[in-house]
Amino acid sequence: MRVSLIRKIYTTLTRIGGRAIDVGISSYQRRAEQIRQRTDELMQLPDVELNRLGLELRRRVQTGTFLDSVLVDTFALVSAAAFRAIGMRPFDVQLIAALAINDGKIAEMQTGEGKTLAAVLPACLNALIGKGVHVLTFNDYLAARDADWMGSVYRMLGLSVGCVISRMSPAERKAAYACDVTYSTAKEVGFDFLRDQQSTELAQFVQREHFYAIIDEADSLLIDQGRIPLVIATQSHDNPADLYRFADLVRTMRPKVDYSIDSTWRNVSYNSPGLDRLQHHLKCGELHSVEHANLLARLNLALHAEVLMRRDVDYIVRDGKIHLVDELTGRVVENRRWPWGLQAAVEAKERLEIQSQGKILNSITLKHFFNLYARIGGMTATAQDSADEFREFYATKIVVIPPNRTCRRHDFPDRIFPTKHRKFEAVLNEILLEHQRGRPVLVGTSSIAESERLAERLVRMGIPCNVLNAKNDHAEAELVAEAGSIGAVTISTNMAGRGTDIRLGGSREVDRDRVIALGGLYVIGTCRNESRRIDNQLRGRAGRQGDPGDTRFFVSLEDDLLVRHGIADDRSEESRAFADQILASDDAGPRIAHIQRVIEGENLEIHRTLRKYSHLVEQQRRLIQRKRSQILSSVDAPNAFQTKEPEEFHNLVTRFGQESVDNAGRRLTLKAIDDCWSDYLERVAEIRDGIHLVSMGGFDPMEVYNNEVASTFRTFFQRVDDKAIASIKDYFKHRDPNQIEDENSSGSSATWTYMVNVNPMGDLFERIRRNVRRNLKG
């Protein structure tokens, strides 16, 4: 116990002592005072003079003046312009946050403290260089809203502002990226990067270089979604045959007889009777034989889909398609798929049309994409619990920004119940009592299904409520804005990335004093999440800008967090004692927080391991990217054909002309690179999916994986050269030298983009998790 306490104290001191979290902001405060004084002077100037000063600052920076030399003047100018354009002048805490973001750090600002305006100051400063600044936020609605809201501030200083959202044309995207400041989402900018990497002409690129990015909701985008791959794919001939039959077959399987589910509900496997039934129905012989490996894999996916993937929890069905629900936010995420056949298995389970996964052309994780920027800064309301990950994966620190007004929120101890039924009865009674008083209540739930069940119960009790789940972002913003109204009851799957403050008394604050007298907004959590940050995001909705407010979590021993980690089902004496202590405790928060810290520690180890698996392929991708860039920007023909078959090359030049051969050679070489890279990624996926067999043989899977990947890549450029030469020969084989053709036509098929959801059930992710747990216990 004493050793554990010493280790805990040491870890805390290490983090707070300047390694991962900056607690000293005195230097920022001194600079903020300078900015405030300079702002007072500029406030007296007319609009035209502010514009002139903005243009002068740009001229100075682009002729060699360092940004730091003009920081005070620029921040003061932005402050004065913001007051003139939108009636808002940054508080000192917003100036401090802006200074931290400009230093490449993550500013932790409490909800309602004005992150949107704080981001404008470093965006304007860095835009003076002329290389473009990207402000990346949570969704299309917030990107469009912030670009429109803050646009007049930028324009008053002579800076252009654009916005990139889904369903925009390439021309519209290119124009937006050409602006001094561009608002968008991380996934849209990442997808545009992947599309650019498939271009065969420089003129087709929509993006410029990746210079500086400001990332809103930084913990969600950099940490939670950092390992999620962005994918660009093209049509392939997937074979969905038998998937519907497999889905019908596994639906008849008997739990605990034909299959078993592990204690964490993350993996399911066939028992011997189940395998016997499958072999009997399919008449296929031994399923564990090498020849049936693919068949068994698809049957396993069908079982996963049937048993572990829960409708209205893990996904919803809308417009005849599967839409995934983010496991951390409980919200529907557009344009995301499960990998490796699981998506198709769920579609078969629901009797929907099976959508092609397509052939992957290129892919990059969000973490690796963010690392393309020369500099990044960020902001969020909940960063401290991920400080170590920010430091390790992005080499950045957290700066905790004090609130503009002292927080008056009261966080009550958790209420603990033995069953979910008793917990929800208590939640309903609590909502009823507060609603009868007229106090606004916000309820955070773990899933769409849970939010709908709770709403149905409330309606039967005569309590009207609004539900936030899978609605469009505009409707969400309107409902969140009114969540502080008298008597309002709002149920939400999660509050991360809503982007709208909950004002007491409603959006116009007409009943503000009445709500304050009632104690402010009351936030109820119906469960604890695996991440403390998600809990804190919900809590942070109460007590905005010094307002009063209360929060409380209701927890049962049947909640997923406790069940998955062995508290409810484990019959050992230690676990029973632990459960009894929780039920008897007046303050169970620290006990549950301990479980959350253990999970966060596991996730950190998983992130480290996944980074090792992806590191080599990312280095290879960058090598391919540089090669493509050289070919695109070269005025000379690619020399593989000329070097390896000079006589044939010169014959083609004589017949068709140097320019025609160069253009075709450049385009077909690029296509050869893309085709070979797509094939290579498919091979890497096969190596990764089979690597667990290596550990069974006593070998180090990481070493074997890297060796196989490196060996496969060793002949990559040879394959590119061979494919390019063959394509060039075939292209000119039946060409008439006198025929004028469009040499710029790429001939590529249609592409689409999507994100690959990390599948924690039975894949590499779960194998890593199990290894981490074994190592921690050891």
Side-chain angles (χ1 to χ4, degrees):
M1 182 68 177
R2 182 175 298 175
V3 173
S4 175
L5 179 61
I6 292 173
R7 183 179 298 151
K8 184 177 180 180
I9 294 172
Y10 173 79
T11 301
T12 302
L13 291 175
T14 300
R15 293 180 63 211
I16 297 180
R19 293 291 185 88
I21 301 176
D22 275 351
V23 294
I25 59 172
S26 57
S27 62
Y28 290 143
Q29 289 173 323
R30 288 192 296 270
R31 208 119 199 234
E33 174 64 23
Q34 296 172 359
I35 295 167
R36 184 151 44 84
Q37 292 176 1
R38 178 61 175 145
T39 303
D40 291 339
E41 299 171 4
L42 296 175
M43 291 285 285
Q44 311 304 317
L45 301 178
D47 292 0
V48 66
E49 184 64 13
L50 296 181
N51 181 266
R52 187 194 67 78
L53 288 174
L55 296 175
E56 173 63 19
L57 286 172
R58 171 181 281 206
R59 184 196 63 77
R60 288 174 58 190
V61 168
Q62 294 188 1
T63 55
T65 302
F66 290 114
L67 282 183
D68 194 61
S69 302
V70 299
L71 185 149
V72 171
D73 282 345
T74 302
F75 277 27
L77 192 59
V78 175
S79 300
F83 184 78
R84 198 73 53 82
I86 59 176
M88 300 171 67
R89 177 172 171 174
F91 300 122
D92 282 1
V93 293
Q94 289 172 298
L95 296 176
I96 292 170
L99 290 165
I101 294 168
N102 185 66
D103 278 352
K105 297 175 182 177
I106 307 299
E108 181 179 275
M109 301 177 70
Q110 292 186 16
T111 300
E113 292 290 308
K115 295 192 294 293
T116 303
L117 179 57
V120 176
L121 290 98
C124 284
L125 177 65
N126 287 272
L128 297 177
I129 293 179
K131 294 183 178 180
V133 172
H134 294 168
V135 183
L136 307 179
T137 189
F138 203 79
N139 56 43
D140 280 356
Y141 164 67
L142 293 179
R145 185 205 67 177
D146 292 352
D148 179 65
W149 185 15
M150 298 293 146
S152 56
V153 181
Y154 293 111
R155 288 188 287 271
M156 183 171 285
L157 302 180
L159 296 171
S160 57
V161 59
C163 179
V164 175
I165 59 176
S166 58
R167 295 182 296 276
M168 287 177 62
S169 69
E172 291 172 322
R173 292 171 183 269
K174 190 168 186 175
Y177 286 121
C179 292
D180 296 308
V181 179
T182 305
Y183 283 80
S184 187
T185 63
K187 66 178 182 180
E188 282 300 322
V189 179
F191 287 147
D192 282 335
F193 168 76
L194 290 177
R195 293 187 191 99
D196 280 352
Q197 296 309 304
Q198 298 297 123
S199 299
T200 57
E201 298 289 337
L202 287 173
Q204 297 171 352
F205 277 57
V206 299
Q207 289 185 348
R208 296 188 282 170
E209 60 185 312
H210 298 85
F211 169 58
Y212 179 60
I214 298 172
I215 302 169
D216 193 10
E217 302 292 347
D219 54 337
S220 178
L221 292 176
L222 294 176
I223 304 301
D224 298 335
Q225 298 186 31
R227 65 174 181 251
I228 294 179
L230 306 175
V231 169
I232 183 169
T234 190
Q235 188 64 45
S236 67
H237 301 291
D238 295 342
N239 181 17
D242 292 331
L243 292 184
Y244 297 110
R245 181 187 180 196
F246 296 159
D248 292 338
L249 187 55
V250 300
R251 193 169 290 123
T252 66
M253 292 284 170
R254 299 160 295 177
K256 297 183 179 180
V257 178
D258 295 322
Y259 63 86
S260 298
I261 306 169
D262 72 2
S263 60
T264 67
W265 274 79
R266 290 182 181 273
N267 201 8
V268 60
S269 57
Y270 291 108
N271 296 332
S272 294
L275 288 172
D276 291 341
R277 290 188 68 192
L278 290 173
Q279 290 165 179
H280 171 73
H281 282 286
L282 297 173
K283 297 180 174 53
C284 61
E286 176 57 51
L287 274 171
H288 278 116
S289 64
V290 175
E291 63 181 306
H292 291 316
N294 185 53
L295 174 60
L296 181 58
R298 293 202 288 171
L299 288 167
N300 276 319
L301 286 170
L303 186 64
H304 276 281
E306 175 64 30
V307 177
L308 299 181
M309 310 314 293
R310 299 162 295 175
R311 184 168 177 166
D312 292 335
V313 176
D314 301 299
Y315 66 93
I316 65 170
V317 176
R318 185 172 62 193
D319 300 327
K321 294 183 180 179
I322 297 292
H323 295 266
L324 276 61
V325 175
D326 189 286
E327 61 184 2
L328 290 171
T329 67
R331 299 170 69 191
V332 169
V333 283
E334 302 295 336
N335 208 22
R336 191 181 294 186
R337 295 177 60 87
W338 283 304
W340 311 308
L342 181 60
Q343 180 90 8
V346 175
E347 289 165 341
K349 165 190 172 181
E350 297 290 346
R351 310 303 294 183
L352 302 174
E353 179 182 354
I354 294 174
Q355 306 294 316
S356 171
Q357 177 176 304
K359 182 177 177 62
I360 294 177
L361 299 177
N362 205 351
S363 176
I364 188 171
T365 65
L366 279 172
K367 177 191 178 301
H368 288 134
F369 172 70
F370 288 132
N371 286 336
L372 296 178
Y373 287 92
R375 294 175 58 237
I376 63 171
M379 51 193 179
T380 182
T382 48
Q384 292 188 65
D385 292 326
S386 297
D388 291 331
E389 290 172 273
F390 279 118
R391 177 187 58 183
E392 182 172 341
F393 299 141
Y394 298 97
T396 189
K397 296 181 180 179
I398 306 301
V399 178
V400 180
I401 310 299
N404 187 49
R405 297 176 182 172
T406 303
C407 180
R408 297 164 58 194
R409 188 183 74 229
H410 186 191
D411 298 328
F412 286 101
D414 293 3
R415 292 187 62 185
I416 314 298
F417 301 87
T419 65
K420 282 187 177 182
H421 175 74
R422 288 178 60 181
K423 177 185 73 172
F424 278 107
E425 289 299 317
V427 168
L428 290 166
N429 288 333
E430 192 84 353
I431 295 172
L432 176 62
L433 289 173
E434 297 299 334
H435 178 69
Q436 288 174 338
R437 296 176 58 222
R439 188 181 190 184
V441 179
L442 172 67
V443 185
T445 61
S446 63
S447 68
I448 294 171
E450 183 178 285
S451 68
E452 291 177 345
R453 286 195 299 268
L454 188 59
E456 290 172 2
R457 292 285 303 276
L458 288 171
V459 170
R460 289 200 296 270
M461 293 168 63
I463 301 175
C465 62
N466 290 317
V467 181
L468 297 179
N469 60 31
K471 298 181 184 291
N472 64 68
D473 292 321
H474 293 79
E476 285 183 0
E478 293 169 4
L479 292 176
V480 171
E482 299 302 330
S485 302
I486 287 287
V489 176
T490 307
I491 302 173
S492 175
T493 47
N494 191 268
M495 292 306 297
R498 300 291 182 185
T500 302
D501 293 334
I502 297 178
R503 299 178 183 273
L504 300 187
S507 59
R508 298 183 180 180
E509 302 184 273
V510 292
D511 294 315
R512 176 176 171 80
D513 292 341
R514 289 180 60 192
V515 175
I516 288 177
L518 292 168
L521 181 69
Y522 185 27
V523 172
I524 295 175
T526 62
C527 67
R528 286 288 197 154
N529 292 276
E530 287 194 357
S531 170
R532 288 174 293 171
R533 286 186 291 104
I534 303 300
D535 293 342
N536 291 336
Q537 286 165 0
L538 178 62
R539 272 193 165 139
R541 293 295 163 169
R544 171 190 170 275
Q545 281 284 335
D547 289 340
D550 297 327
T551 72
R552 188 191 290 276
F553 283 87
F554 290 67
V555 181
S556 86
L557 296 185
E558 294 178 346
D559 288 351
D560 286 350
L561 177 69
L562 300 184
V563 170
R564 286 187 171 185
H565 295 277
I567 301 304
D569 291 337
D570 194 333
R571 301 306 176 190
S572 68
E573 183 178 343
E574 180 181 357
S575 289
R576 286 198 303 272
F578 183 78
D580 291 341
Q581 285 177 340
I582 284 183
L583 286 170
S585 175
D586 291 331
D587 184 7
R591 302 177 187 277
I592 297 175
H594 169 74
I595 298 174
Q596 292 172 313
R597 284 193 297 272
V598 170
I599 297 169
E600 288 163 4
E602 290 178 0
N603 287 335
L604 177 57
E605 290 301 319
I606 289 168
H607 287 186
R608 287 171 177 156
T609 304
L610 288 175
R611 182 177 61 170
K612 293 175 183 177
Y613 273 97
S614 65
H615 177 73
L616 180 57
V617 175
E618 173 60 16
Q619 297 306 306
Q620 294 166 344
R621 189 201 61 75
R622 293 192 178 198
L623 180 63
I624 300 302
Q625 181 184 340
R626 287 194 295 270
K627 181 67 173 178
R628 281 189 108 263
S629 297
Q630 291 171 359
I631 295 173
L632 278 168
S633 58
S634 175
V635 296
D636 300 323
N639 61 11
F641 188 17
Q642 186 175 4
T643 301
K644 295 186 176 183
E645 299 189 26
E647 185 174 346
E648 181 68 18
F649 175 82
H650 289 300
N651 287 339
L652 290 180
V653 170
T654 300
R655 293 185 61 208
F656 295 94
Q658 185 76 48
E659 182 178 1
S660 180
V661 174
D662 284 351
N663 288 340
R666 183 179 299 107
R667 177 165 45 82
L668 294 171
T669 300
L670 290 171
K671 188 175 187 307
I673 291 175
D674 296 341
D675 290 346
C676 289
W677 180 246
S678 178
D679 293 340
Y680 174 73
L681 290 177
E682 191 172 343
R683 173 57 184 151
V684 168
E686 292 174 358
I687 296 172
R688 178 198 58 220
D689 293 344
I691 204 65
H692 66 288
L693 298 175
V694 171
S695 59
M696 296 178 183
F699 296 98
D700 180 1
M702 181 72 67
E703 181 180 353
V704 173
Y705 172 83
N706 282 330
N707 287 340
E708 289 199 31
V709 167
S711 176
T712 303
F713 188 75
R714 199 165 291 128
T715 58
F716 180 86
F717 288 107
Q718 177 62 51
R719 296 195 299 273
V720 169
D721 288 348
D722 293 343
K723 187 176 185 67
I725 292 172
S727 298
I728 294 170
K729 287 181 177 180
D730 184 67
Y731 177 81
F732 285 107
K733 186 174 183 180
H734 302 293
R735 289 293 185 277
D736 184 343
N738 298 316
Q739 182 180 359
I740 300 176
E741 297 189 14
D742 181 9
E743 297 288 351
N744 292 323
S745 173
S746 67
S748 60
S749 58
T751 62
W752 68 90
T753 55
Y754 58 89
M755 301 175 75
V756 177
N757 204 63
V758 175
N759 170 27
M761 280 159 276
D763 65 353
L764 176 64
F765 183 92
E766 180 56 26
R767 291 194 293 275
I768 293 171
R769 182 183 289 275
R770 289 196 295 267
N771 289 335
V772 166
R773 286 180 176 167
R774 282 198 296 269
N775 292 336
L776 290 176
K777 289 178 181 178

